[in-house]
Amino acid sequence: MATIQLVVFDMAGTTVKDNNEVQDCFFQAAKSTGLNTDYERINSMMGWSKKLVFQTLWAEQIGSENPNYSEKVEGSYSEFKNLLENHYLTQPVEPTEGCLELFNWLTKNQIKIALNTGFYRKVTNIILQRLGWNKGLNSNYIGSENSIIQVSVTPDEIYNNEGRPAPYMIQKAMYKLGIKDSKKVVHIGDTPVDLQAGINANCLLSLAVTNGSHSREQLQQYLNDGLLNALIELKNIIIHL
């Protein structure tokens, strides 16, 4: 087994169950604020920093130079945040199948666990708390070998909120955990931008699960180091490196 020091996981659709609830929140927020879109377009942007989705959609509809552009973006984004936070505060929040088994195996093998996401910090913290994954994390969202995860990173902690496909959240997780070699890091998500982020960060492997927001047929169009039917398959991939 190769010396893997860190696995960086996406959250919704990868380690946290998502039955299109995030897409639903996007669609409802768009519809209620006069933004024209559809589920296919929203799904193509899953994994992005959430505000960027509304910036992109409003730019397409009215142009970013429109004097009402910023107000429109903020209105849609604010409505989305209300819907999303209410969902995660009131509805069941569960890990994906095999996630906790994989986390336990990684911990036993001294491989650190990082979570990154397109979510902003407030809703990320709601999810971490609901799952109990915030236990042992300090004020910088860094844990220990005894905590369930060792670090959490959101676009809020990146300059200009630049999320995926930029490599910065992965690199931030490495920095916080003192890991210098990206070839000792595996990245896994469920969207095209997850795959691109792992490649941009020069990770040893950039992988995706096909039971999240995108199908195998959709994901195989993008450069990748492997597509998994389920998260638990990562265990055998690491064993056989």
Side-chain angles (χ1 to χ4, degrees):
M1 188 168 72
T3 304
I4 300 300
Q5 295 181 330
L6 171 68
V7 178
V8 182
F9 295 88
D10 168 56
M11 293 182 68
T14 305
T15 54
V16 182
K17 281 186 181 178
D18 177 44
N19 295 310
N20 299 317
E21 292 96 343
V22 178
Q23 289 98 317
D24 288 342
C25 289
F26 270 122
F27 189 75
Q28 290 173 40
K31 186 176 181 181
S32 67
T33 56
L35 179 56
N36 299 323
T37 190
D38 56 42
Y39 275 96
E40 185 176 350
R41 181 71 176 110
I42 290 171
N43 199 50
S44 72
M45 294 184 284
M46 292 304 293
W48 292 23
S49 171
K50 305 315 177 194
K51 189 172 186 178
L52 180 60
V53 173
F54 292 108
Q55 290 171 328
T56 302
L57 291 173
W58 274 115
E60 291 172 354
Q61 184 163 319
I62 64 173
S64 58
E65 302 304 316
N66 187 294
N68 297 319
Y69 170 74
S70 294
E71 181 182 348
K72 295 286 190 183
V73 169
E74 290 301 328
S76 296
Y77 184 48
S78 178
E79 179 64 15
F80 169 76
K81 289 195 292 184
N82 289 335
L83 291 165
L84 191 69
E85 289 167 22
N86 182 66
H87 167 74
Y88 281 115
L89 283 167
T90 62
Q91 301 303 309
V93 181
E94 299 174 332
T96 53
E97 185 176 354
C99 175
L100 295 182
E101 179 185 344
L102 178 61
F103 279 8
N104 289 334
W105 182 83
L106 292 170
T107 299
K108 287 177 183 177
N109 284 277
Q110 290 80 51
I111 299 172
K112 292 180 169 63
I113 297 164
L115 297 181
N116 70 12
T117 179
F119 291 142
Y120 52 98
R121 175 50 69 186
K122 183 177 179 180
V123 78
T124 299
N125 284 354
I126 292 170
I127 296 168
L128 293 177
Q129 184 172 17
R130 290 291 306 277
L131 291 168
W133 293 355
N134 61 329
K135 293 176 182 174
L137 299 184
N138 65 20
S139 59
N140 292 315
Y141 306 103
I142 301 171
S144 69
E145 60 184 19
N146 297 317
S147 51
I148 296 173
I149 66 169
Q150 279 65 59
V151 70
S152 163
V153 180
T154 73
D156 305 51
E157 285 103 57
I158 306 300
Y159 176 73
N160 208 28
N161 288 306
E162 188 168 1
R164 300 173 294 219
Y168 307 132
M169 286 197 292
I170 299 171
Q171 293 167 341
K172 186 84 169 187
M174 291 173 58
Y175 173 75
K176 286 188 171 188
L177 296 175
I179 294 170
K180 298 177 175 63
D181 186 356
S182 63
K183 291 303 182 185
K184 294 183 179 178
V185 179
V186 172
H187 185 257
I188 185 163
D190 69 317
T191 69
V193 291
D194 289 321
L195 288 170
Q196 292 161 19
I199 290 166
N200 290 340
N202 198 34
C203 293
L204 178 66
L205 297 175
S206 186
L207 310 167
V209 292
T210 60
N211 60 351
S213 64
H214 286 69
S215 66
R216 178 176 295 273
E217 290 70 29
Q218 290 171 317
L219 291 167
Q220 66 189 8
Q221 301 174 48
Y222 298 87
L223 191 62
N224 68 81
D225 296 310
L227 302 176
L228 288 59
N229 295 317
L231 198 59
I232 195 62
E233 292 180 10
L234 180 59
K235 176 179 173 181
N236 282 333
I237 290 173
I238 293 175
I239 288 172
H240 292 100
L241 284 175

